[in-house]
Amino acid sequence: MNFSVHAVMYFYYFLSNAGLFHLAQPFAPLITFVQIAQMVGGVTTITLALLWHGEGCANNKPALIHGLGMYACYLLLFVELFGKKYGACGYKKVERKPR
């Protein structure tokens, strides 16, 4: 999932920097939503691994805890970004000037 999200994200950046922002811009909320879904998947997976830790599943508990912290932080940051950019009280729309 990480590769797929990054491939779409970097294609978005490419279009934006190639002067084709008008083509990429409608997909921005979708990309952020998919990033949020990726972080929810990471938090869920690591939480399940922690719950099943020691039941025949070879996991390093400190690594799982750090991974959970990382995914949880990214999740909060992406949710905040989504709310600020696309929520009811989002950022003011900025007009991009062609290069």
Side-chain angles (χ1 to χ4, degrees):
M1 183 171 193
N2 190 46
F3 171 77
S4 301
V5 171
H6 279 82
V8 171
M9 184 179 67
Y10 288 126
F11 185 65
Y12 168 85
Y13 290 145
F14 164 74
L15 289 176
S16 297
N17 287 309
L20 301 170
F21 182 73
H22 64 282
L23 295 174
Q25 195 271 335
F27 296 101
L30 177 63
I31 293 169
T32 306
F33 177 79
V34 171
Q35 288 171 318
I36 291 170
Q38 178 184 1
M39 297 310 130
V40 168
V43 167
T44 302
T45 302
I46 293 176
T47 300
L48 291 173
L50 279 167
L51 291 174
W52 294 332
H53 182 76
E55 295 183 20
C57 188
N59 291 319
N60 182 334
K61 192 170 184 177
L64 290 173
I65 291 169
H66 285 93
L68 180 60
M70 179 196 71
Y71 273 107
C73 287
Y74 287 155
L75 175 61
L76 292 173
L77 289 170
F78 279 117
V79 168
E80 180 184 24
L81 173 71
F82 191 89
K84 285 183 177 178
K85 283 193 87 169
Y86 312 114
C89 299
Y91 299 132
K92 293 180 181 176
K93 188 172 183 177
V94 177
E95 294 293 325
R96 285 187 166 237
K97 296 179 183 178
R99 293 180 181 203

